[in-house]
Every structure is written in C-alpha cells, then in structure tokens.
Short mmCIF file of all heavy atoms in Angstrom, two decimals:
data_model
loop_
_atom_site.label_atom_id
_atom_site.label_comp_id
_atom_site.label_asym_id
_atom_site.label_seq_id
_atom_site.Cartn_x
_atom_site.Cartn_y
_atom_site.Cartn_z
N ARG O 1 306.25 -45.10 124.18
CA ARG O 1 305.71 -43.74 124.19
C ARG O 1 306.61 -42.80 124.99
O ARG O 1 306.28 -42.35 126.15
CB ARG O 1 304.29 -43.71 124.70
CG ARG O 1 303.39 -44.32 123.75
CD ARG O 1 301.89 -43.97 124.19
NE ARG O 1 301.05 -44.65 123.21
CZ ARG O 1 300.27 -45.81 123.47
NH1 ARG O 1 300.38 -46.33 124.63
NH2 ARG O 1 299.55 -46.33 122.57
N VAL O 2 307.75 -42.47 124.45
CA VAL O 2 308.80 -41.63 125.05
C VAL O 2 309.15 -40.59 124.04
O VAL O 2 309.39 -40.87 122.88
CB VAL O 2 310.03 -42.48 125.45
CG1 VAL O 2 311.06 -41.64 126.06
CG2 VAL O 2 309.63 -43.59 126.40
N ASP O 3 309.24 -39.29 124.53
CA ASP O 3 309.59 -38.25 123.58
C ASP O 3 311.10 -38.12 123.59
O ASP O 3 311.83 -38.84 124.27
CB ASP O 3 308.86 -36.96 123.84
CG ASP O 3 309.28 -36.22 125.06
OD1 ASP O 3 310.34 -36.53 125.65
OD2 ASP O 3 308.55 -35.28 125.43
N SER O 4 311.69 -37.19 122.78
CA SER O 4 313.04 -37.05 122.53
C SER O 4 313.83 -36.52 123.83
O SER O 4 315.05 -36.63 123.94
CB SER O 4 313.40 -36.02 121.36
OG SER O 4 312.90 -34.77 121.68
N THR O 5 313.08 -36.02 124.78
CA THR O 5 313.73 -35.61 126.06
C THR O 5 313.78 -36.74 127.09
O THR O 5 314.33 -36.58 128.13
CB THR O 5 312.91 -34.46 126.72
OG1 THR O 5 311.61 -34.92 127.20
CG2 THR O 5 312.73 -33.31 125.76
N GLY O 6 313.20 -37.89 126.75
CA GLY O 6 313.19 -39.05 127.65
C GLY O 6 311.88 -39.10 128.46
O GLY O 6 311.76 -39.96 129.29
N TYR O 7 310.97 -38.17 128.26
CA TYR O 7 309.69 -38.05 129.01
C TYR O 7 308.81 -39.24 128.54
O TYR O 7 308.47 -39.31 127.33
CB TYR O 7 309.00 -36.78 128.82
CG TYR O 7 307.60 -36.66 129.42
CD1 TYR O 7 307.36 -36.93 130.76
CD2 TYR O 7 306.53 -36.40 128.56
CE1 TYR O 7 306.10 -36.89 131.27
CE2 TYR O 7 305.26 -36.36 129.09
CZ TYR O 7 305.00 -36.58 130.43
OH TYR O 7 303.74 -36.54 130.87
N PHE O 8 308.43 -40.08 129.45
CA PHE O 8 307.52 -41.17 129.14
C PHE O 8 306.07 -40.66 129.31
O PHE O 8 305.65 -40.51 130.41
CB PHE O 8 307.79 -42.39 130.06
CG PHE O 8 306.78 -43.47 129.78
CD1 PHE O 8 306.84 -44.24 128.62
CD2 PHE O 8 305.87 -43.87 130.76
CE1 PHE O 8 305.97 -45.27 128.36
CE2 PHE O 8 304.99 -44.94 130.53
CZ PHE O 8 305.03 -45.61 129.39
N PHE O 9 305.43 -40.37 128.22
CA PHE O 9 304.02 -39.90 128.25
C PHE O 9 302.99 -40.94 128.17
O PHE O 9 301.69 -40.63 128.24
CB PHE O 9 303.82 -38.79 127.17
CG PHE O 9 304.11 -39.29 125.78
CD1 PHE O 9 303.14 -39.80 125.02
CD2 PHE O 9 305.40 -39.19 125.33
CE1 PHE O 9 303.40 -40.25 123.73
CE2 PHE O 9 305.68 -39.53 123.95
CZ PHE O 9 304.62 -40.15 123.17
N GLY O 10 303.41 -42.21 127.99
CA GLY O 10 302.46 -43.31 127.89
C GLY O 10 301.48 -43.43 129.07
O GLY O 10 300.28 -43.63 128.92
N ASP O 11 301.99 -43.31 130.31
CA ASP O 11 301.17 -43.49 131.46
C ASP O 11 300.11 -42.34 131.48
O ASP O 11 298.94 -42.53 131.94
CB ASP O 11 301.99 -43.38 132.74
CG ASP O 11 302.77 -44.75 133.00
OD1 ASP O 11 302.41 -45.72 132.31
OD2 ASP O 11 303.68 -44.78 133.77
N GLU O 12 300.50 -41.12 131.11
CA GLU O 12 299.58 -40.04 131.06
C GLU O 12 298.39 -40.28 130.11
O GLU O 12 297.23 -40.08 130.39
CB GLU O 12 300.21 -38.71 130.64
CG GLU O 12 301.21 -38.14 131.71
CD GLU O 12 300.44 -37.73 132.87
OE1 GLU O 12 299.38 -37.01 132.82
OE2 GLU O 12 300.93 -37.93 134.09
N MET O 13 298.75 -40.90 128.96
CA MET O 13 297.71 -41.21 127.96
C MET O 13 296.75 -42.29 128.55
O MET O 13 295.55 -42.15 128.40
CB MET O 13 298.33 -41.68 126.62
CG MET O 13 298.93 -40.70 125.85
SD MET O 13 299.62 -41.33 124.29
CE MET O 13 299.83 -39.87 123.38
N LEU O 14 297.35 -43.28 129.13
CA LEU O 14 296.52 -44.35 129.58
C LEU O 14 295.72 -44.09 130.78
O LEU O 14 294.70 -44.76 131.15
CB LEU O 14 297.44 -45.65 129.86
CG LEU O 14 298.11 -46.16 128.65
CD1 LEU O 14 298.94 -47.37 129.05
CD2 LEU O 14 297.12 -46.62 127.56
N SER O 15 295.96 -42.94 131.49
CA SER O 15 295.24 -42.53 132.63
C SER O 15 294.12 -41.59 132.26
O SER O 15 293.38 -41.08 133.21
CB SER O 15 296.19 -41.88 133.68
OG SER O 15 296.57 -40.56 133.22
N ALA O 16 293.85 -41.36 131.05
CA ALA O 16 292.78 -40.45 130.59
C ALA O 16 291.45 -40.92 131.15
O ALA O 16 291.07 -42.10 130.88
CB ALA O 16 292.72 -40.30 129.12
N PRO O 17 290.66 -40.07 131.74
CA PRO O 17 289.33 -40.46 132.28
C PRO O 17 288.28 -40.20 131.21
O PRO O 17 288.56 -39.57 130.15
CB PRO O 17 289.14 -39.58 133.42
CG PRO O 17 289.88 -38.32 133.09
CD PRO O 17 291.06 -38.74 132.28
N GLU O 18 287.05 -40.56 131.51
CA GLU O 18 285.92 -40.27 130.60
C GLU O 18 285.70 -38.75 130.46
O GLU O 18 285.23 -38.29 129.41
CB GLU O 18 284.63 -40.89 131.14
CG GLU O 18 284.65 -42.43 130.95
CD GLU O 18 283.35 -43.09 131.43
OE1 GLU O 18 282.42 -42.36 131.83
OE2 GLU O 18 283.27 -44.26 131.40
N GLU O 19 286.11 -37.95 131.52
CA GLU O 19 285.98 -36.53 131.42
C GLU O 19 287.08 -35.93 130.55
O GLU O 19 287.02 -34.74 130.14
CB GLU O 19 286.09 -35.89 132.82
CG GLU O 19 284.97 -36.41 133.73
CD GLU O 19 285.24 -37.75 134.37
OE1 GLU O 19 286.42 -38.19 134.46
OE2 GLU O 19 284.27 -38.37 134.73
N GLY O 20 288.15 -36.63 130.22
CA GLY O 20 289.19 -36.25 129.42
C GLY O 20 290.29 -35.47 130.17
O GLY O 20 290.07 -35.14 131.38
N LYS O 21 291.46 -35.31 129.52
CA LYS O 21 292.56 -34.58 130.12
C LYS O 21 293.51 -34.16 129.06
O LYS O 21 293.62 -34.80 128.04
CB LYS O 21 293.25 -35.44 131.24
CG LYS O 21 294.08 -36.56 130.64
CD LYS O 21 294.67 -37.45 131.73
CE LYS O 21 295.94 -36.90 132.22
NZ LYS O 21 296.64 -37.91 133.18
N TRP O 22 294.26 -33.10 129.34
CA TRP O 22 295.26 -32.56 128.42
C TRP O 22 296.65 -33.16 128.87
O TRP O 22 296.94 -33.23 130.04
CB TRP O 22 295.41 -31.05 128.50
CG TRP O 22 294.30 -30.37 127.81
CD1 TRP O 22 293.21 -29.73 128.29
CD2 TRP O 22 294.24 -30.18 126.35
NE1 TRP O 22 292.48 -29.21 127.33
CE2 TRP O 22 293.05 -29.39 126.04
CE3 TRP O 22 295.02 -30.54 125.26
CZ2 TRP O 22 292.67 -29.09 124.84
CZ3 TRP O 22 294.62 -30.11 123.96
CH2 TRP O 22 293.43 -29.40 123.79
N ILE O 23 297.46 -33.63 127.85
CA ILE O 23 298.85 -33.97 128.16
C ILE O 23 299.63 -33.27 127.10
O ILE O 23 299.20 -33.02 125.99
CB ILE O 23 299.07 -35.47 128.15
CG1 ILE O 23 298.79 -36.12 126.78
CG2 ILE O 23 298.15 -36.16 129.17
CD1 ILE O 23 299.35 -37.52 126.71
N SER O 24 300.92 -33.02 127.42
CA SER O 24 301.84 -32.42 126.49
C SER O 24 303.19 -33.20 126.44
O SER O 24 303.64 -33.73 127.44
CB SER O 24 302.16 -31.01 126.99
OG SER O 24 301.03 -30.23 126.92
N TYR O 25 303.74 -33.24 125.17
CA TYR O 25 304.98 -33.96 124.96
C TYR O 25 305.52 -33.53 123.60
O TYR O 25 304.87 -32.84 122.86
CB TYR O 25 304.69 -35.50 124.95
CG TYR O 25 303.53 -35.91 124.01
CD1 TYR O 25 303.84 -36.36 122.73
CD2 TYR O 25 302.26 -35.92 124.44
CE1 TYR O 25 302.78 -36.74 121.90
CE2 TYR O 25 301.21 -36.28 123.64
CZ TYR O 25 301.44 -36.71 122.34
OH TYR O 25 300.44 -37.04 121.51
N LEU O 26 306.71 -33.90 123.28
CA LEU O 26 307.33 -33.55 121.97
C LEU O 26 306.99 -34.63 120.96
O LEU O 26 307.08 -35.79 121.26
CB LEU O 26 308.85 -33.39 122.14
CG LEU O 26 309.38 -32.24 122.98
CD1 LEU O 26 310.83 -32.26 123.07
CD2 LEU O 26 308.83 -30.92 122.45
N ALA O 27 306.64 -34.20 119.81
CA ALA O 27 306.31 -35.05 118.68
C ALA O 27 306.59 -34.45 117.33
O ALA O 27 306.72 -33.19 117.27
CB ALA O 27 304.89 -35.49 118.76
N ILE O 28 306.66 -35.21 116.29
CA ILE O 28 306.79 -34.60 114.94
C ILE O 28 305.47 -34.07 114.41
O ILE O 28 304.44 -34.81 114.35
CB ILE O 28 307.34 -35.67 113.94
CG1 ILE O 28 308.74 -36.22 114.45
CG2 ILE O 28 307.48 -35.15 112.55
CD1 ILE O 28 309.83 -35.16 114.51
N ASN O 29 305.47 -32.80 114.09
CA ASN O 29 304.28 -32.18 113.49
C ASN O 29 304.16 -32.62 112.06
O ASN O 29 305.10 -32.39 111.26
CB ASN O 29 304.40 -30.67 113.55
CG ASN O 29 303.25 -29.86 112.98
OD1 ASN O 29 302.57 -30.38 112.09
ND2 ASN O 29 303.06 -28.70 113.48
N PRO O 30 303.16 -33.35 111.62
CA PRO O 30 303.08 -33.84 110.28
C PRO O 30 302.90 -32.71 109.23
O PRO O 30 303.23 -32.95 108.08
CB PRO O 30 301.67 -34.71 110.27
CG PRO O 30 300.91 -34.22 111.41
CD PRO O 30 301.96 -33.71 112.45
N GLU O 31 302.53 -31.57 109.62
CA GLU O 31 302.42 -30.43 108.71
C GLU O 31 303.79 -29.86 108.28
O GLU O 31 304.06 -29.51 107.22
CB GLU O 31 301.52 -29.32 109.30
CG GLU O 31 301.21 -28.21 108.37
CD GLU O 31 300.09 -27.26 108.91
OE1 GLU O 31 300.23 -26.98 110.12
OE2 GLU O 31 299.27 -26.96 108.09
N THR O 32 304.68 -29.84 109.32
CA THR O 32 305.96 -29.27 109.10
C THR O 32 307.11 -30.23 108.98
O THR O 32 308.20 -29.88 108.46
CB THR O 32 306.40 -28.24 110.25
OG1 THR O 32 306.51 -29.04 111.44
CG2 THR O 32 305.30 -27.20 110.43
N GLY O 33 306.97 -31.43 109.58
CA GLY O 33 308.03 -32.45 109.66
C GLY O 33 308.98 -32.14 110.68
O GLY O 33 310.00 -32.88 110.87
N ASN O 34 308.80 -31.14 111.52
CA ASN O 34 309.70 -30.77 112.63
C ASN O 34 309.12 -31.21 113.96
O ASN O 34 307.90 -31.26 114.22
CB ASN O 34 309.89 -29.25 112.66
CG ASN O 34 310.60 -28.79 111.38
OD1 ASN O 34 311.50 -29.44 110.85
ND2 ASN O 34 310.22 -27.65 110.92
N GLU O 35 309.97 -31.43 114.93
CA GLU O 35 309.50 -31.73 116.26
C GLU O 35 309.09 -30.49 116.94
O GLU O 35 309.62 -29.41 116.81
CB GLU O 35 310.69 -32.32 117.04
CG GLU O 35 310.29 -32.80 118.45
CD GLU O 35 311.44 -33.46 119.19
OE1 GLU O 35 312.40 -32.78 119.60
OE2 GLU O 35 311.35 -34.65 119.42
N ALA O 36 307.93 -30.60 117.67
CA ALA O 36 307.31 -29.50 118.38
C ALA O 36 306.56 -30.02 119.59
O ALA O 36 306.25 -31.24 119.66
CB ALA O 36 306.40 -28.70 117.44
N ARG O 37 306.34 -29.12 120.51
CA ARG O 37 305.49 -29.52 121.70
C ARG O 37 304.05 -29.72 121.16
O ARG O 37 303.44 -28.87 120.58
CB ARG O 37 305.51 -28.49 122.75
CG ARG O 37 304.57 -28.82 123.89
CD ARG O 37 305.08 -28.56 125.29
NE ARG O 37 306.51 -28.89 125.58
CZ ARG O 37 306.94 -30.06 126.11
NH1 ARG O 37 306.12 -31.01 126.26
NH2 ARG O 37 308.18 -30.20 126.33
N LYS O 38 303.50 -30.92 121.51
CA LYS O 38 302.12 -31.24 121.13
C LYS O 38 301.24 -31.20 122.43
O LYS O 38 301.64 -31.79 123.49
CB LYS O 38 302.04 -32.62 120.55
CG LYS O 38 300.63 -32.95 120.05
CD LYS O 38 300.54 -34.24 119.32
CE LYS O 38 299.10 -34.44 118.88
NZ LYS O 38 298.92 -35.71 118.17
N HIS O 39 300.12 -30.64 122.35
CA HIS O 39 299.11 -30.56 123.41
C HIS O 39 297.96 -31.47 122.95
O HIS O 39 297.31 -31.09 121.98
CB HIS O 39 298.69 -29.16 123.74
CG HIS O 39 299.85 -28.31 124.09
ND1 HIS O 39 300.38 -28.28 125.31
CD2 HIS O 39 300.57 -27.41 123.31
CE1 HIS O 39 301.39 -27.43 125.35
NE2 HIS O 39 301.58 -26.87 124.12
N THR O 40 297.71 -32.59 123.64
CA THR O 40 296.79 -33.55 123.22
C THR O 40 295.69 -33.75 124.20
O THR O 40 295.89 -33.88 125.36
CB THR O 40 297.48 -34.93 123.01
OG1 THR O 40 298.53 -34.76 122.04
CG2 THR O 40 296.50 -35.96 122.46
N TRP O 41 294.44 -33.67 123.70
CA TRP O 41 293.23 -33.98 124.51
C TRP O 41 292.96 -35.46 124.42
O TRP O 41 292.86 -36.00 123.30
CB TRP O 41 292.06 -33.14 124.00
CG TRP O 41 290.78 -33.44 124.83
CD1 TRP O 41 289.73 -34.11 124.41
CD2 TRP O 41 290.54 -32.99 126.13
NE1 TRP O 41 288.77 -34.11 125.45
CE2 TRP O 41 289.27 -33.42 126.50
CE3 TRP O 41 291.28 -32.29 127.12
CZ2 TRP O 41 288.68 -33.22 127.72
CZ3 TRP O 41 290.70 -32.05 128.37
CH2 TRP O 41 289.46 -32.57 128.69
N MET O 42 293.00 -36.13 125.50
CA MET O 42 292.76 -37.60 125.62
C MET O 42 291.45 -37.81 126.41
O MET O 42 291.24 -37.19 127.41
CB MET O 42 293.91 -38.30 126.37
CG MET O 42 295.30 -38.00 125.85
SD MET O 42 295.64 -38.70 124.22
CE MET O 42 295.29 -40.43 124.46
N VAL O 43 290.59 -38.69 125.88
CA VAL O 43 289.35 -39.00 126.51
C VAL O 43 289.07 -40.53 126.34
O VAL O 43 289.30 -41.10 125.30
CB VAL O 43 288.23 -38.15 125.90
CG1 VAL O 43 287.97 -38.47 124.39
CG2 VAL O 43 286.96 -38.33 126.74
N ARG O 44 288.63 -41.09 127.39
CA ARG O 44 288.27 -42.56 127.44
C ARG O 44 286.77 -42.68 127.15
O ARG O 44 285.92 -42.02 127.69
CB ARG O 44 288.59 -43.14 128.81
CG ARG O 44 288.36 -44.64 128.92
CD ARG O 44 288.72 -45.11 130.34
NE ARG O 44 290.16 -44.84 130.59
CZ ARG O 44 291.13 -45.66 130.27
NH1 ARG O 44 290.91 -46.79 129.64
NH2 ARG O 44 292.38 -45.34 130.59
N TYR O 45 286.48 -43.60 126.20
CA TYR O 45 285.10 -43.88 125.88
C TYR O 45 284.90 -45.36 125.42
O TYR O 45 285.62 -45.84 124.57
CB TYR O 45 284.60 -42.94 124.74
CG TYR O 45 283.21 -43.20 124.31
CD1 TYR O 45 282.18 -42.73 125.08
CD2 TYR O 45 282.90 -43.93 123.19
CE1 TYR O 45 280.84 -43.02 124.68
CE2 TYR O 45 281.59 -44.22 122.80
CZ TYR O 45 280.55 -43.71 123.55
OH TYR O 45 279.27 -43.93 123.25
N ASP O 46 284.06 -46.03 126.10
CA ASP O 46 283.69 -47.43 125.76
C ASP O 46 284.86 -48.34 125.64
O ASP O 46 285.08 -49.12 124.74
CB ASP O 46 282.90 -47.45 124.50
CG ASP O 46 282.11 -48.74 124.32
OD1 ASP O 46 281.77 -49.45 125.33
OD2 ASP O 46 281.80 -49.07 123.11
#
C-alpha cells in the first residue's frame, strides 16, 4: 500500500478506529483512469 510518491498509506488505513478517520493518498480514479489524490474515509467495524 504505497502510492506513486512512495508514501506508505497502509499504516494509516490499518489504524482506523471505530469512530473513523480520513486518509489521503494518490490512486487511479476508476472513472477517468488517471492518477489523482484520493480522500478515503476508513472505519473499523466488527
């Protein structure tokens, strides 16, 4: 889980609490096929 800049966003994802958290990283937008900054809401449940 590393983006094209070398940012390892995996730890951020795995640290998501039950209250949730936002993380941002570069990823391919499936709508455009281009890389863009993605803002992801991560939440832990069960």
